[in-house]
Amino acid sequence: MSIALSVRGGDPGRIATPLIAVALPTGGAFPRALTALDAAYGGVISKAVKNGDFKGAKDESLLLVGHGRGPARVLLLGLGDGSDAYASVMRAATLAGRKGNALGVRRMAFWAERLAGDAVEAAAFGLSRGSWDFTDYKTQPAAKDRPKPLTEAVVISSDVRGSRGAFVAGVAIGEGQRLTRRLQQLPGNVCTPEYLARTARDIAKRHRLRAQVFGRRDLKRMKMESFLAVAAGTPQDPKLIVLEYRGGRRGDAPVALVGKGLCFDSGGISIKPAQGMEMMKYDMSGAAGVLGAIEAIARMKLRVNVVGLIGSTTNMPSGTSMNPGDVVTASNGKTIEILNTDAEGRLVLADVLAYSARFKPAAIIDAATLTGACVIALGNSATGVMTNDERLQDEVLAAARRGGEPGWPLPMWDDYREMIKGDIADIKNIGGRGAGTITAALFLREFVPTGTPWVHLDIAGTAYSESDLTVIPKGPTGVPVRTFVEFVRGRAR
Ligand code: BES
Ligand code: MN
Ligand code: ZN
């Protein structure tokens, strides 16, 4: 369900709405701006705060039901110590959107003290993120028992004029991330490489961007044997998708955003165990992140050039599949020994990274659900970050932190490179048992255009979750949209 967001000023106590979320920090005096609302509630709001029934702690919430005029319900939400206003408002607003959606109200408002500028962006984005759900395949109950979806949310700001730009940005990033999460959540039989290509074309059409889609025949002509090896076992047409956003000066080197788009990864001949294999529909999360980021960037009209590059296929066992032991030559001329067909993401990205050279990018960031080892190392809380340029890495880590999608660096030392030295070819597509996330990144590095700063994001643990993460329900998280957007915004004029 889509959500219409707006921003307005005014007294939170005098707004006619079925629900108002009121975000408060720990400690501090009870806000004067809540005097009318508190009075309408017979003083129970200030009383709950005074008694310590509501402390304002991070993720804390308390629902109060009113009577008479003004908001029919008040949902108190904790901001914690509120030291990072952007992060704490984003989190509280996400929880507000999630709870509002669950309560079954059609409309809600969000208030926090002195909500202006950046914090309005955080609030708008949070409401958009929190209210996201995916009900396409649920048969709807009869109209009378149907819960009302949250379709409208209002951010109450202390400076509406001064926060207009921030509000628009929050909505844009929210919409981009909603697109990403939807693509992630769609099953593999619907979200195919062809579907991702159509989505890219749709984004291009709506924002007047250039989109190019290459299929199996084109990949053959471009000598992308590595990418084609992965696609050898599937009857679906693999797609190399290129989406160009030109908001910067003509001739300015673009930022390249590269995504792994495995619409299903069975492992191929090196097949995965049945348990949990269904999660491999999420193996296109990097690609979904590229599309969502470009959707957001185009809505924000950022003054920067960006090229999105996606390698999409499925990895299937069949009589035509690649086999362990096969050797292929990637489009940059390097030869690869394929020792495990389940290490397929790097084979796809090898040719996509090599292809990016023609855009002479100022920087490349790729995102891929690349290794199970990354989930073992960092769990669901941090994206694995690897690079050939530590300055760029610092820039990406800062962008990721700002977006609330923290990353953590892993070393790219020469010792690890030994592990993927080929026996009969230049390089092997797997290392040994240890350091699987790093050897995968070192494999990718071989295909990055020479001299181009590059950062690799292993989002295997952060793109989706198998359990509820408090503000985000189980399922797709939308990572790495925010990281991409914050990075590109930082590069805009
Ligand atoms: N898509 C998987 C990685 C993955 C695993 C993502 C679990 C999310 C959760 C990737 O293609 C893969 O299968 N990697 C192998 C590499 C191995 C064969 C060297 C892995 O991690 O097991
Ligand atoms: Mn795999
Ligand atoms: Zn994979």
Side-chain angles (χ1 to χ4, degrees):
M1 194 46 89
S2 68
I3 184 158
L5 291 159
S6 56
V7 58
R8 56 164 284 184
D11 187 328
R14 304 195 196 283
I15 290 177
T17 178
L19 172 69
I20 184 167
V22 169
L24 295 169
T26 48
F30 190 74
R32 297 261 310 266
L34 294 182
T35 307
L37 184 65
D38 192 35
Y41 274 66
V44 299
I45 303 174
S46 57
K47 194 163 190 179
V49 171
K50 206 164 143 199
N51 289 349
D53 291 314
F54 177 79
K55 297 183 184 64
K58 179 180 176 186
D59 299 342
E60 187 185 356
S61 67
L62 181 67
L63 182 67
L64 302 168
V65 180
H67 54 95
R69 287 170 197 263
R73 299 172 192 83
V74 170
L75 176 66
L76 298 179
L77 285 168
L79 288 169
D81 68 9
S83 53
D84 181 345
Y86 188 86
S88 53
V89 168
M90 177 159 82
R91 196 170 171 97
T94 303
L95 212 50
R98 192 173 173 194
K99 295 209 181 246
N101 207 23
L103 269 173
V105 292
R106 255 188 241 286
R107 282 182 298 126
M108 71 177 293
F110 181 89
W111 181 91
E113 198 166 26
R114 284 190 295 279
L115 197 61
D118 270 4
V120 168
E121 175 184 304
F125 169 76
L127 289 165
S128 177
R129 174 169 76 163
S131 62
W132 180 82
D133 60 8
F134 183 85
T135 54
D136 287 34
Y137 300 124
K138 293 274 193 198
T139 303
Q140 291 301 312
K144 64 175 174 50
D145 318 311
R146 201 178 298 163
K148 302 183 197 78
L150 182 67
T151 52
E152 252 184 86
V154 187
V155 177
I156 305 171
S157 170
S158 56
D159 176 17
V160 176
R161 275 159 148 271
S163 305
R164 185 65 63 182
F167 171 76
V168 170
V171 172
I173 304 169
E175 287 298 323
Q177 194 186 65
R178 292 171 81 91
L179 171 70
T180 294
R181 288 171 87 185
R182 177 177 169 75
L183 291 171
Q184 289 183 280
Q185 192 67 318
L186 285 170
N189 60 327
V190 175
C191 186
T192 58
E194 170 63 37
Y195 189 96
L196 289 180
R198 273 210 306 277
T199 304
R201 284 203 188 93
D202 173 66
I203 294 169
K205 196 166 168 206
R206 285 186 289 105
H207 299 291
R208 301 170 164 274
L209 317 182
R210 177 165 135 100
Q212 281 175 283
V213 177
F214 301 103
R216 200 184 297 270
R217 285 180 52 184
D218 306 302
L219 304 185
K220 280 194 182 131
R221 181 172 47 75
M222 297 189 278
K223 302 200 176 341
M224 297 193 177
E225 270 187 24
S226 184
F227 187 166
L228 283 166
V230 179
T234 177
Q236 296 187 38
D237 200 37
K239 302 291 185 194
L240 169 62
I241 304 165
V242 184
L243 193 52
E244 286 174 78
Y245 169 77
R246 302 229 159 254
R249 287 196 202 89
R250 182 191 286 269
D252 273 1
V255 170
L257 303 178
V258 176
K260 170 178 174 181
L262 265 288
C263 292
F264 188 69
D265 175 15
S266 72
I269 297 296
S270 313
I271 199 160
K272 289 180 180 297
Q275 178 75 252
M277 202 201 270
E278 70 278 8
M279 292 294 160
M280 285 300 116
K281 74 169 182 178
Y282 291 124
D283 213 18
M284 37 55 76
S285 295
V290 170
L291 294 175
I294 291 184
E295 172 72 26
I297 290 162
R299 281 175 182 256
M300 291 161 85
K301 301 190 170 63
L302 293 181
R303 293 167 65 156
V304 56
N305 295 329
V306 180
V307 54
L309 298 153
I310 288 166
S312 184
T313 183
T314 62
N315 185 21
M316 301 302 286
S318 87
T320 58
S321 295
M322 59 176 168
N323 292 319
D326 285 358
V327 173
V328 294
T329 306
S331 50
N332 72 345
K334 294 199 184 179
T335 56
I336 304 165
E337 265 174 82
I338 299 170
L339 297 183
N340 189 317
T341 67
D342 198 10
E344 86 297 339
R346 64 198 77 181
L347 295 174
V348 170
L349 290 177
D351 279 323
V352 180
L353 287 167
Y355 184 79
S356 74
R358 74 181 54 208
F359 298 97
K360 300 192 166 52
I364 304 173
I365 311 177
D366 82 72
T369 44
L370 205 63
T371 66
C374 193
V375 192
I376 303 300
L378 299 171
N380 297 127
S381 302
T383 292
V385 183
M386 286 141 280
T387 191
N388 64 2
D389 183 309
E390 289 188 6
R391 258 182 57 191
L392 179 68
Q393 177 167 269
D394 287 342
E395 198 180 336
V396 173
L397 286 169
R401 199 175 317 120
R402 169 78 173 166
E405 299 176 345
W408 202 257
L410 295 170
M412 295 278 274
W413 298 327
D414 289 341
D415 320 35
Y416 298 114
R417 175 64 180 78
E418 294 298 310
M419 298 168 74
I420 51 169
K421 238 163 123 180
D423 289 332
I424 67 164
D426 297 336
I427 192 170
K428 303 190 286 202
N429 82 327
I430 52 167
R433 266 174 49 77
T437 305
I438 296 169
T439 51
L442 285 164
F443 181 96
L444 296 182
R445 194 179 67 180
E446 298 293 318
F447 302 90
V448 172
T450 318
T452 307
W454 155 81
V455 166
H456 162 58
L457 303 175
D458 194 329
I459 56 169
T462 49
Y464 68 92
S465 172
E466 293 179 53
S467 61
D468 194 304
L469 300 171
T470 316
V471 289
I472 307 275
K474 80 168 188 191
T477 62
V479 170
V481 168
R482 295 238 31 173
T483 304
F484 279 160
V485 171
E486 294 304 330
F487 177 82
V488 169
R489 174 150 65 171
R491 287 276 173 129
R493 285 193 285 133

